[in-house]
Amino acid sequence: MDTIIDSLQQFWQYTGFANCTWQHLAMIAIGLIFITLGIVKKWEPLLLVPIGFGMIVGNIPLFFDPATGAGLKIGIYEDGSVLNILYHGVRNGWYPPLIFLGIGAMTDFSALISQPRLILIGAAAQLGIFGAYLLALLLGFAPNEAGAIGIIGGADGPTAIFLSSKLAPELMGAIAVSAYSYMALVPVIQKPIMLLLTTKKERLIRMRKPREVSQREKIVFPILGFICTAFIVPSGLPLLGMLFFGNLLKESGVTKRLAATAGGPLIDIVTTLIGLTVGASTQADVFLTGRSVLIFGLGLASFVIATTFGVGFVKFMNLFLSEEKKINPLIGNAGVSAVPDAARVSETVGLEADPSNHLLMHAMAPNVAGVIGSAVAAGILLSFLG
Amino acid sequence: MDTIIDSLQQFWQYTGFANCTWQHLAMIAIGLIFITLGIVKKWEPLLLVPIGFGMIVGNIPLFFDPATGAGLKIGIYEDGSVLNILYHGVRNGWYPPLIFLGIGAMTDFSALISQPRLILIGAAAQLGIFGAYLLALLLGFAPNEAGAIGIIGGADGPTAIFLSSKLAPELMGAIAVSAYSYMALVPVIQKPIMLLLTTKKERLIRMRKPREVSQREKIVFPILGFICTAFIVPSGLPLLGMLFFGNLLKESGVTKRLAATAGGPLIDIVTTLIGLTVGASTQADVFLTGRSVLIFGLGLASFVIATTFGVGFVKFMNLFLSEEKKINPLIGNAGVSAVPDAARVSETVGLEADPSNHLLMHAMAPNVAGVIGSAVAAGILLSFLG
Amino acid sequence: MDTIIDSLQQFWQYTGFANCTWQHLAMIAIGLIFITLGIVKKWEPLLLVPIGFGMIVGNIPLFFDPATGAGLKIGIYEDGSVLNILYHGVRNGWYPPLIFLGIGAMTDFSALISQPRLILIGAAAQLGIFGAYLLALLLGFAPNEAGAIGIIGGADGPTAIFLSSKLAPELMGAIAVSAYSYMALVPVIQKPIMLLLTTKKERLIRMRKPREVSQREKIVFPILGFICTAFIVPSGLPLLGMLFFGNLLKESGVTKRLAATAGGPLIDIVTTLIGLTVGASTQADVFLTGRSVLIFGLGLASFVIATTFGVGFVKFMNLFLSEEKKINPLIGNAGVSAVPDAARVSETVGLEADPSNHLLMHAMAPNVAGVIGSAVAAGILLSFLG
Amino acid sequence: MTTYLFSILTAGSDRMAQTDPHGWTLTIISVTVVFLALIVLYFLYNLSGKIFTGAFKRKSSTKKNAQVPDAEVAAAIALALDMEEDGDTYAAIAAAIHLYLATGVHDTEPGIVTITRKDSSPWSSKALTFRKLPR
Amino acid sequence: MTTYLFSILTAGSDRMAQTDPHGWTLTIISVTVVFLALIVLYFLYNLSGKIFTGAFKRKSSTKKNAQVPDAEVAAAIALALDMEEDGDTYAAIAAAIHLYLATGVHDTEPGIVTITRKDSSPWSSKALTFRKLPR
Amino acid sequence: MTTYLFSILTAGSDRMAQTDPHGWTLTIISVTVVFLALIVLYFLYNLSGKIFTGAFKRKSSTKKNAQVPDAEVAAAIALALDMEEDGDTYAAIAAAIHLYLATGVHDTEPGIVTITRKDSSPWSSKALTFRKLPR
Ligand code: NA
Ligand code: NA
Ligand code: NA
């Protein structure tokens, strides 16, 4: 009887209650907020819900005795645990390319093909990445860390995970969470900047309907696009190769079943596992640090810079364009990627100025160009800092 | 010419015919029986057919010369063979959590949410696990082996595979086969016990229709349920986390495509591979031993004990309940899990007593509680014996 | 400023332009041809498009300094790169069995079951494998290489990849590309041989409608078929086991969802990844050699020999058959496998001789027998040369 | 003392064999914990039930809860019992539960419960329709 | 002797290069075994055919086997030939075989053979319907 | 000189910290390259556009490009804006783009653009139909 009561007391030591700290509870609370935002606000729910639940999973307090090394071997950082095995795809960087395969297999690049000049907006918005890089160096981060933080400004979750897993794995949790948070917050962040930087008259600019795009062009696009970008930035190959490969599967017309699976079950499986494990990797002791706060601040800065340069670059282009070819600067924000939320912001803000002026389809061009642009930027950072 | 005939003779040595023993044939026969039961009787066919075919695959007699080590490197226990690679998910224990993810994504917990008191039946039925544990110790099994054997009484295939792969990998084949066999035999085993333990009057008890469950409750359920159970038994995290995560994906309403894939292609792939490789792991020399016979006996005992305690516990609860709140003890058997077969047994036996008294929906409550209960029990055993 | 210009120059060194050789461009051109043939000619598009794109991916020129070992670690042969990880399934040989699982889950063996005598044609056509083996030895290839090259004559992509990954990994790219090329070219290669070897009268032979096949026979077929072939050639187990397992899942009637996934998302995922990585493994320096040219020549020879023996064997069988049981030799070519293209060639050539004489369903029997036959042949070669 | 206890819990099989050879300690602790865990869930859902039921009682009182369409529920159950093939049971049982709990109340969901039977595709895409006729 | 032979079979490539430099031994054995394996299958299905055909002959003799709806079979074949795109050929050929073998006999299966063409989803969920009109 | 530069590029973080502590070199090069890469794409598609447009202009001039069915496009956009749930947005936006670019021209494709909304199955199998009525 004595043994039993004592054993129960001992069992208590193993429970989450006994090992719980305020940090655990804080992280669980953040996880709950993520889930709530995903469900109630419907902000990027395919990502916020798995990441939020993953945060809870990763912050269940586990017993660990540093003296004896005794403890349950189930944490995400313990070799051979289930979470650790599922986390391989994040740490070794092969989940993000598979997600890019699926994104390629779902994305329609027609908008970009029919209005190639809008591609450049997608280049300008990548300045957010390098602005954040410079700021991060100022704040004392090492160059590899600064590069990984900068990529938050790419507004592209898989790219952020891919690059940070290569450059600064220890910051990956904070970077991924920051990237997804701001992607979810795109409408909140971008709208005021867009209104601030544009005049009423600019917001009313009507863009011409672009030409049609033939199927042949759509097929040639991913092949040519891949060869060009990969020759220029070979280190972007894993992301760019998969993105364009997926798009070729979609557009070829003869491999539809492969595209359907890549953009269906395959991307679903990887999205579920990447979200869960990235969330679980944010264990309180790694995540709740002053540096995470800095990373969130830099992430916000990078989104602001990216949006500013995107909108500003359109205004700059307009200086050289004839009246009828002018571009509505409200599609400038879409250059950051965050497909398709940023393009929807363009449409919404545009509608407020003129309820019959649809900008969505135009905004999709810089939007998908931004995906290519940030994959290129990630490639460059990798070749410099990897 | 001489060379050729001699070579043919030698080739013969490599064939299955030359290396065949009665054990191989016995195991192949068992595999055929499994397939037949799955197809003809439709008992758990998603499991019995793959396991049965796996048994045949694993018991094709392969040439192996212990003196020289010469042999075909294709058996499931030979590093680097195809079967061995597919078997990783069993040995490292990550197939079962993925199955739990899919089960969570398919399971409707409303019955449990609307009648929480029925949860306790799912706790009582877990006594089958510990009864078998005590018996196994008596029969001379080591504690880790006894724990792995006991989990058969959890009536939950993935849990049994998960726990035995951690505690007693060498018994895993026999334990998994035993667990699935008795799960398939649930109607045969449970019905007589239920009739024996209940009076005619008890079998006629009509239970009140429970209240409705709102979508919000369904969303809150997996989150709260996970946090509570994981705090109490952190070692149950891999199974409980995935089960509740899958359920959240299903109920959140904004991640339906992830739930559809988790409960569709993903669980199908893992079910196919887990069945095939668990079956193939039952190679005659490992499987056909006296211990396997004991394990089958203990497995039967655990199911009997679990059913007895499930039904008995309802009768015990009824002692304290007012007339109109009494529970029909025919749903007690469902506490063992074996979702949803055990609940169907409740319904069928109930209908025999009163053809207008449907127990199925009530029985689903202890049934899914039993899944949680045995995952909790597995976690405890793992923390004690792992 | 100086620094920047110099750095840009240096960056140039990393680009594909700086490292490009004519071999890279040649391989990219071959990739483009593959994609074009897949899309325009619709020749095996599910394979040619991924392989073609993979060739481009694998031949983006990457910087590598042999002196310092500096370079981007993203090539398919660099440990830990994304492509390298996805390539594991090829190198360790587990993609092909998963493809066989899916093929089994999609293939209807009724034609074969109802006309068992046509199975033998599928045996005769495997002589293409061994003819090419003898020729390859003559040309100075080592026996393991000769075996891997011979399997091209099996006209079965996954089998070719499986065997060559085991016997001669360094030739795998050339062998796989050769196998798929000739499979795509089946109509071009086989038709003239068929016309040459048959008389007008033979081409008009009408075959009797075979008997119906019951579901029970279809269920028994994969089980019995597996046991027999695996006992005779245990080393064919990975391929034959998966093929027949998939077919059992399809025909059992109680595991349809597993079959649907195996023949749907699972085979799609593996097909996409095997195509991409096999294509990417054909890096110019490995692929563009005199040996590759020899391999392509031997591959062509093996297809010619296989077709010749297939058609010839039917004519030989006809010597012993009564008038009404005679077999149209135009189905002889189908014995090579290349399912279902070879059977379609039978139908097409048959229709040219008599527009009301449908041979397709008859040709499917040797066609699927050819799949079994070449898996058996691969097993034998593996046991001799592995 | 503590060391002794510690040894129990960090112990693998070997130590348990020494300290608890007959398994009763492990059994009693485990059963207690299993019950504890599920009792906590019980209180939790009981509580949440009380919170949520308020809202629901009001709602359902405005509708006639009397007309229980037992036929539909019975049909769904029959299907669930019958459908041993191919794992459709999950969907069938979910439908039965849904119909059972929701009878008499037009909830906000589509009002059509979909299960499949013959289709060979995965459950998710199956479609055998129990239509709730407009009443 | 045995050692010599043993060396052949456990040997990898190197030993084959010595003992069978021209490859004829391997070729003859292999061809024999391939034929052997498929001849065994031949006898097996021949036998099973004889067993099962009894049952079937009776069945099919009660129906009019004469009215072979060649048009349907031809249509299915045409589809199978045409459908080079996207791998639907498997389903089309299965349909052709099914119609061909089953013509004139209403089997127990649904009686509708389903293939898809345009749909981009995996084969399993495709749906182009060859309806067997009630005759 | 070359060695110095080489060190920049083969360098990992440490060397960059030394040679480019404030990050301006990396920034300027990177921005240049990003623009370069996308400008190349711009020229490429501009060129391909000029090649392909010839063919298309002829085609579209024969049709009345005036009747732009703005309503349909607006409906598709509305859907795309609304559909935050469950990721259907990709399909909705693709439909909007397709309708927008193709208006007034009956292209060779089926003429029916399909998106789904309520269905819980993956996007690929979803089916909410925007019918292009025959005009
Ligand atoms: Na971007
Ligand atoms: Na249980
Ligand atoms: Na073959």
Side-chain angles (χ1 to χ4, degrees):
Chain A
M1 194 58 210
D2 217 40
T3 317
I4 291 171
I5 292 171
D6 290 344
S7 298
L8 268 176
Q9 284 175 338
Q10 192 71 32
F11 191 86
W12 170 255
Q13 266 190 227
Y14 262 72
T15 64
F17 300 107
N19 298 291
C20 195
T21 63
W22 71 265
Q23 285 95 336
H24 288 113
L25 296 180
M27 289 305 301
I28 290 174
I30 296 176
L32 290 173
I33 292 170
F34 268 59
I35 294 172
T36 308
L37 291 180
I39 295 176
V40 177
K41 293 280 183 183
K42 289 174 188 163
W43 285 344
E44 301 269 353
L46 297 178
L47 297 160
L48 291 195
V49 173
I51 290 180
F53 199 89
M55 284 176 158
I56 302 176
V57 168
N59 287 285
I60 298 295
L62 303 176
F63 175 76
F64 178 72
D65 183 346
T68 64
L72 299 165
K73 308 287 186 208
I74 58 174
I76 197 165
Y77 296 118
E78 316 229 25
D79 261 359
S81 78
V82 172
L83 281 173
N84 183 272
I85 290 169
L86 300 179
Y87 189 56
H88 278 200
V90 173
R91 225 178 30 212
N92 299 335
W94 51 271
Y95 282 166
L98 290 179
I99 289 185
F100 261 61
L101 180 69
I103 289 176
M106 290 191 297
T107 301
D108 187 337
F109 282 98
S110 313
L112 188 153
I113 298 170
S114 66
Q115 306 187 77
R117 65 198 181 131
L118 303 184
I119 294 177
L120 301 179
I121 307 170
Q126 304 317 316
L127 280 161
I129 295 175
F130 302 104
Y133 174 75
L134 294 171
L135 287 175
L137 287 180
L138 263 185
L139 290 174
F141 284 95
N144 59 327
E145 297 170 335
I149 293 168
I151 203 69
I152 298 172
D156 191 284
T159 303
I161 291 172
F162 180 77
L163 191 67
S164 55
S165 74
K166 302 280 179 196
L167 292 186
E170 73 287 0
L171 300 182
M172 206 254 303
I175 288 169
V177 169
S178 172
Y180 283 121
S181 304
Y182 292 123
M183 284 166 69
L185 289 169
V186 145
V188 181
I189 298 172
Q190 291 196 321
K191 190 175 166 185
I193 302 173
M194 291 158 71
L195 293 177
L196 192 73
L197 295 180
T198 54
T199 64
K200 175 78 187 169
K201 197 184 145 201
E202 282 172 333
R203 279 176 238 146
L204 292 172
I205 293 176
R206 270 180 188 268
M207 296 172 69
R208 289 201 310 178
K209 189 160 117 53
R211 66 182 185 85
E212 265 189 284
V213 175
S214 71
Q215 194 58 35
R216 196 169 299 176
E217 278 179 288
K218 287 190 187 178
I219 295 173
V220 169
F221 167 78
I223 302 172
L224 228 53
F226 171 64
I227 294 177
C228 287
T229 52
F231 262 74
I232 297 173
V233 190
S235 45
L237 191 142
L239 294 175
L240 292 166
M242 286 303 201
L243 179 74
F244 287 118
F245 178 41
N247 194 243
L248 178 63
L249 293 180
K250 172 179 184 282
E251 301 296 357
S252 82
V254 290
T255 51
K256 280 177 202 160
R257 64 173 295 175
L258 302 186
T261 293
L266 180 58
I267 197 175
D268 288 344
I269 292 173
V270 178
T271 300
T272 305
L273 297 180
I274 208 174
L276 183 73
T277 52
V278 161
S281 72
T282 63
Q283 293 191 349
D285 47 341
V286 182
F287 192 81
L288 284 180
T289 63
R291 307 184 89 200
S292 291
V293 177
L294 287 181
I295 289 171
F296 269 78
L298 289 166
L300 178 58
S302 72
F303 267 71
V304 171
I305 299 170
T307 308
T308 305
F309 273 97
V311 176
F313 188 75
V314 174
K315 296 180 67 159
F316 175 75
M317 283 173 86
N318 277 346
L319 296 180
F320 307 96
L321 293 171
S322 66
E323 200 57 38
E324 62 167 1
K325 289 197 165 176
K326 284 214 188 315
I327 303 167
N328 191 317
L330 291 181
I331 71 169
N333 71 301
V336 303
S337 13
V339 181
D341 291 304
R344 285 202 297 215
V345 173
S346 304
E347 167 79 11
T348 316
V349 180
L351 286 184
E352 286 176 14
D354 173 355
S356 70
N357 190 9
H358 293 295
L359 295 173
L360 182 70
M361 274 84 58
H362 301 285
M364 282 306 287
N367 213 193
V368 294
V371 176
I372 301 173
S374 48
V376 167
I380 300 168
L381 289 170
L382 196 59
S383 71
F384 271 109
L385 305 167
Chain B
M1 194 58 207
D2 217 38
T3 317
I4 290 172
I5 291 171
D6 290 344
S7 298
L8 268 176
Q9 284 175 339
Q10 191 70 33
F11 191 85
W12 170 256
Q13 265 191 229
Y14 262 73
T15 65
F17 300 107
N19 298 292
C20 195
T21 63
W22 72 264
Q23 285 97 334
H24 288 113
L25 296 179
M27 288 306 300
I28 289 174
I30 295 176
L32 290 173
I33 292 170
F34 268 60
I35 294 172
T36 308
L37 291 180
I39 295 176
V40 177
K41 293 279 182 184
K42 289 173 188 164
W43 284 344
E44 301 269 351
L46 297 178
L47 297 159
L48 292 195
V49 172
I51 290 180
F53 199 89
M55 284 175 158
I56 302 176
V57 168
N59 286 285
I60 297 295
L62 303 177
F63 174 76
F64 178 72
D65 184 346
T68 64
L72 299 165
K73 307 286 186 208
I74 58 173
I76 197 166
Y77 295 118
E78 317 229 26
D79 260 0
S81 78
V82 173
L83 281 173
N84 184 272
I85 289 170
L86 300 179
Y87 189 56
H88 277 200
V90 173
R91 224 178 32 210
N92 299 335
W94 51 273
Y95 282 165
L98 290 180
I99 289 184
F100 261 60
L101 179 70
I103 290 175
M106 290 190 299
T107 301
D108 186 338
F109 283 97
S110 313
L112 187 153
I113 298 169
S114 67
Q115 306 187 79
R117 63 196 181 133
L118 303 184
I119 293 177
L120 301 179
I121 306 170
Q126 305 316 315
L127 279 160
I129 295 174
F130 302 104
Y133 174 75
L134 293 172
L135 287 175
L137 286 180
L138 263 185
L139 290 173
F141 284 97
N144 60 326
E145 296 170 336
I149 293 167
I151 203 68
I152 298 172
D156 193 284
T159 303
I161 291 173
F162 181 76
L163 191 67
S164 56
S165 74
K166 302 280 180 195
L167 292 186
E170 73 287 359
L171 300 182
M172 206 255 302
I175 288 169
V177 170
S178 172
Y180 282 120
S181 304
Y182 292 124
M183 285 168 67
L185 289 170
V186 145
V188 181
I189 298 172
Q190 292 196 320
K191 191 176 167 184
I193 302 173
M194 291 158 70
L195 292 177
L196 192 73
L197 293 181
T198 54
T199 65
K200 175 78 187 169
K201 197 182 144 204
E202 283 172 331
R203 278 177 239 147
L204 291 174
I205 293 175
R206 270 181 186 265
M207 296 173 69
R208 288 200 312 176
K209 187 159 118 54
R211 67 182 184 84
E212 262 190 285
V213 176
S214 71
Q215 193 59 34
R216 197 170 297 176
E217 279 179 286
K218 287 191 188 177
I219 295 173
V220 170
F221 166 78
I223 302 171
L224 228 53
F226 171 65
I227 294 177
C228 286
T229 51
F231 262 76
I232 297 172
V233 190
S235 45
L237 192 141
L239 293 175
L240 292 167
M242 286 302 203
L243 180 74
F244 287 118
F245 178 41
N247 194 243
L248 178 64
L249 293 180
K250 171 178 184 282
E251 301 296 358
S252 83
V254 290
T255 50
K256 281 177 201 159
R257 63 174 294 175
L258 302 185
T261 294
L266 179 58
I267 198 175
D268 288 344
I269 292 172
V270 178
T271 300
T272 304
L273 297 180
I274 208 175
L276 182 73
T277 52
V278 162
S281 73
T282 64
Q283 294 191 350
D285 48 342
V286 181
F287 191 81
L288 285 180
T289 64
R291 306 185 89 200
S292 291
V293 177
L294 286 182
I295 288 171
F296 269 77
L298 288 166
L300 180 57
S302 73
F303 267 70
V304 172
I305 299 170
T307 308
T308 306
F309 273 96
V311 176
F313 188 75
V314 174
K315 295 180 69 158
F316 175 75
M317 283 172 85
N318 277 346
L319 296 180
F320 306 95
L321 293 171
S322 66
E323 199 57 39
E324 64 168 359
K325 289 197 167 177
K326 284 216 188 311
I327 303 167
N328 191 318
L330 290 181
I331 72 169
N333 72 301
V336 302
S337 13
V339 181
D341 291 305
R344 284 202 297 215
V345 173
S346 305
E347 167 81 9
T348 316
V349 179
L351 286 184
E352 286 176 12
D354 172 355
S356 70
N357 190 8
H358 292 295
L359 296 174
L360 181 71
M361 273 85 57
H362 300 284
M364 282 306 286
N367 212 192
V368 294
V371 176
I372 300 173
S374 48
V376 168
I380 301 169
L381 289 170
L382 195 59
S383 70
F384 270 110
L385 306 166
Chain C
M1 194 59 208
D2 218 40
T3 317
I4 291 172
I5 291 170
D6 289 344
S7 300
L8 269 175
Q9 284 175 338
Q10 191 71 32
F11 191 87
W12 170 256
Q13 266 190 227
Y14 262 72
T15 64
F17 301 107
N19 298 292
C20 194
T21 63
W22 71 265
Q23 285 96 335
H24 289 113
L25 296 180
M27 289 306 301
I28 289 175
I30 296 175
L32 290 174
I33 292 169
F34 268 59
I35 295 173
T36 308
L37 292 180
I39 295 177
V40 177
K41 293 279 183 185
K42 288 173 188 164
W43 285 343
E44 302 269 353
L46 297 177
L47 298 160
L48 292 195
V49 172
I51 290 179
F53 199 89
M55 284 175 157
I56 301 176
V57 168
N59 286 285
I60 298 294
L62 303 177
F63 173 77
F64 179 71
D65 182 348
T68 64
L72 299 165
K73 307 288 185 206
I74 58 174
I76 198 166
Y77 296 117
E78 316 228 26
D79 260 359
S81 78
V82 172
L83 282 173
N84 184 272
I85 290 170
L86 300 178
Y87 188 56
H88 278 200
V90 173
R91 225 178 31 211
N92 299 335
W94 51 272
Y95 283 165
L98 290 180
I99 289 185
F100 261 60
L101 180 69
I103 290 175
M106 289 190 299
T107 301
D108 186 338
F109 282 97
S110 312
L112 186 152
I113 299 170
S114 67
Q115 306 188 78
R117 66 199 178 129
L118 302 185
I119 294 176
L120 301 180
I121 306 170
Q126 304 318 316
L127 280 161
I129 295 174
F130 302 104
Y133 175 73
L134 294 172
L135 287 174
L137 287 180
L138 263 184
L139 290 172
F141 284 96
N144 60 328
E145 297 170 335
I149 293 168
I151 203 68
I152 297 172
D156 192 283
T159 303
I161 291 172
F162 181 77
L163 191 68
S164 56
S165 73
K166 302 281 180 196
L167 292 187
E170 74 286 359
L171 300 182
M172 205 256 302
I175 288 169
V177 169
S178 172
Y180 283 120
S181 304
Y182 291 123
M183 285 168 66
L185 288 170
V186 145
V188 181
I189 298 172
Q190 292 195 321
K191 190 176 168 184
I193 302 173
M194 292 158 71
L195 293 176
L196 192 74
L197 294 180
T198 53
T199 65
K200 174 79 185 168
K201 197 182 145 205
E202 282 173 332
R203 279 176 238 147
L204 292 173
I205 293 175
R206 272 182 186 265
M207 297 173 68
R208 290 200 310 176
K209 189 160 117 52
R211 67 182 184 84
E212 263 189 286
V213 175
S214 71
Q215 193 59 35
R216 197 169 297 176
E217 278 179 287
K218 287 189 187 179
I219 295 173
V220 170
F221 166 78
I223 302 171
L224 228 54
F226 172 63
I227 295 177
C228 287
T229 51
F231 262 75
I232 297 173
V233 189
S235 46
L237 192 141
L239 293 175
L240 293 167
M242 286 302 202
L243 180 74
F244 287 118
F245 178 41
N247 194 242
L248 178 64
L249 293 180
K250 171 179 185 282
E251 302 295 359
S252 82
V254 291
T255 50
K256 279 177 201 158
R257 63 173 295 175
L258 302 185
T261 294
L266 180 58
I267 197 175
D268 287 344
I269 292 172
V270 179
T271 300
T272 305
L273 297 180
I274 209 175
L276 183 73
T277 52
V278 162
S281 73
T282 62
Q283 294 191 349
D285 47 342
V286 182
F287 191 82
L288 284 180
T289 62
R291 305 185 88 201
S292 291
V293 177
L294 287 181
I295 289 171
F296 269 77
L298 289 166
L300 179 58
S302 72
F303 267 71
V304 172
I305 298 170
T307 308
T308 306
F309 272 97
V311 176
F313 188 75
V314 175
K315 296 180 69 159
F316 175 74
M317 284 173 85
N318 276 346
L319 296 180
F320 307 94
L321 293 171
S322 66
E323 198 57 39
E324 64 167 0
K325 289 198 165 178
K326 284 214 190 312
I327 301 167
N328 191 317
L330 291 181
I331 71 169
N333 71 301
V336 302
S337 17
V339 181
D341 290 305
R344 284 203 296 215
V345 173
S346 305
E347 167 80 10
T348 315
V349 180
L351 286 184
E352 286 176 13
D354 173 355
S356 70
N357 190 10
H358 292 295
L359 295 174
L360 182 71
M361 274 83 59
H362 301 284
M364 282 307 287
N367 212 194
V368 292
V371 176
I372 300 173
S374 47
V376 167
I380 300 169
L381 289 170
L382 196 59
S383 71
F384 270 110
L385 305 168
Chain D
M1 187 63 209
T2 315
T3 351
Y4 162 67
L5 282 171
F6 190 74
S7 71
I8 288 183
L9 282 148
T10 60
S13 185
D14 290 348
R15 296 203 199 164
M16 288 308 285
Q18 279 186 292
T19 58
D20 184 29
H22 303 296
W24 287 103
T25 303
L26 182 147
T27 297
I28 291 170
I29 295 178
S30 301
V31 171
T32 312
V33 175
V34 169
F35 265 95
L36 189 72
L38 294 193
I39 285 171
V40 167
L41 287 188
Y42 160 68
F43 278 113
L44 223 76
Y45 297 127
N46 219 11
L47 187 74
S48 93
K50 276 177 188 140
I51 294 167
F52 282 104
T53 323
F56 266 77
K57 265 201 180 132
R58 256 171 283 130
K59 195 179 165 191
S60 55
S61 62
T62 62
K63 313 242 173 179
K64 281 171 284 185
N65 210 341
Q67 308 163 307
V68 181
D70 267 330
E72 275 180 22
V73 176
I77 290 174
L79 200 65
L81 289 178
D82 180 42
M83 280 210 297
E84 227 138 352
E85 278 187 46
D86 208 5
D88 268 343
T89 346
Y90 275 88
I93 288 177
I97 291 176
H98 181 84
L99 283 168
Y100 184 59
L101 296 182
T103 39
V105 181
H106 291 272
D107 53 12
T108 48
E109 285 177 58
I112 291 170
V113 183
T114 330
I115 331 166
T116 337
R117 264 192 98 179
K118 294 269 158 173
D119 195 331
S120 68
S121 61
W123 301 340
S124 54
S125 67
K126 299 188 163 183
L128 167 64
T129 318
F130 280 85
R131 242 167 242 287
K132 272 190 160 182
L133 293 171
R135 269 164 287 174
Chain E
M1 185 65 206
T2 313
T3 351
Y4 162 66
L5 282 172
F6 190 75
S7 73
I8 287 184
L9 281 148
T10 60
S13 185
D14 290 348
R15 296 202 199 164
M16 288 307 285
Q18 281 186 292
T19 58
D20 184 30
H22 301 298
W24 288 102
T25 304
L26 182 147
T27 297
I28 292 169
I29 295 178
S30 301
V31 171
T32 313
V33 176
V34 169
F35 265 95
L36 189 71
L38 294 192
I39 284 170
V40 167
L41 287 188
Y42 161 68
F43 278 113
L44 223 76
Y45 298 127
N46 219 11
L47 187 73
S48 92
K50 275 177 189 141
I51 294 167
F52 282 104
T53 323
F56 266 77
K57 265 207 180 124
R58 257 171 282 130
K59 193 179 166 192
S60 56
S61 62
T62 62
K63 313 243 173 177
K64 280 171 283 185
N65 209 343
Q67 308 162 306
V68 181
D70 268 331
E72 275 180 23
V73 177
I77 290 174
L79 201 65
L81 290 178
D82 181 42
M83 280 210 297
E84 228 139 353
E85 280 187 44
D86 209 5
D88 268 343
T89 346
Y90 275 89
I93 288 176
I97 291 176
H98 181 83
L99 283 168
Y100 183 59
L101 296 183
T103 39
V105 182
H106 291 272
D107 54 12
T108 49
E109 284 178 58
I112 291 171
V113 183
T114 330
I115 333 164
T116 335
R117 261 192 101 180
K118 293 270 160 171
D119 196 330
S120 68
S121 60
W123 299 340
S124 53
S125 67
K126 299 189 164 184
L128 168 63
T129 319
F130 281 84
R131 239 167 244 288
K132 273 188 159 183
L133 292 173
R135 267 163 289 174
Chain F
M1 184 67 207
T2 313
T3 349
Y4 162 66
L5 283 171
F6 189 75
S7 72
I8 288 184
L9 282 148
T10 60
S13 186
D14 289 349
R15 296 201 199 165
M16 289 307 284
Q18 280 186 293
T19 59
D20 183 30
H22 303 296
W24 288 102
T25 303
L26 182 147
T27 298
I28 292 170
I29 295 178
S30 301
V31 171
T32 313
V33 175
V34 170
F35 265 95
L36 188 71
L38 295 193
I39 285 171
V40 168
L41 287 188
Y42 161 69
F43 278 113
L44 223 75
Y45 298 126
N46 219 11
L47 186 74
S48 93
K50 277 179 187 139
I51 294 167
F52 282 104
T53 323
F56 266 77
K57 266 207 180 127
R58 257 171 281 130
K59 196 180 166 191
S60 55
S61 63
T62 62
K63 313 244 173 177
K64 279 170 285 183
N65 210 341
Q67 306 162 307
V68 181
D70 267 330
E72 274 180 22
V73 177
I77 290 175
L79 201 65
L81 289 179
D82 182 41
M83 281 209 299
E84 229 139 353
E85 278 186 48
D86 209 6
D88 268 343
T89 345
Y90 276 89
I93 288 176
I97 291 176
H98 181 83
L99 283 168
Y100 183 61
L101 295 182
T103 39
V105 182
H106 292 271
D107 54 12
T108 48
E109 285 177 56
I112 290 171
V113 183
T114 331
I115 332 163
T116 336
R117 261 192 100 180
K118 293 270 157 169
D119 195 332
S120 69
S121 60
W123 300 340
S124 53
S125 67
K126 299 190 162 181
L128 167 63
T129 319
F130 280 84
R131 240 167 244 288
K132 270 189 160 185
L133 294 172
R135 267 162 287 170

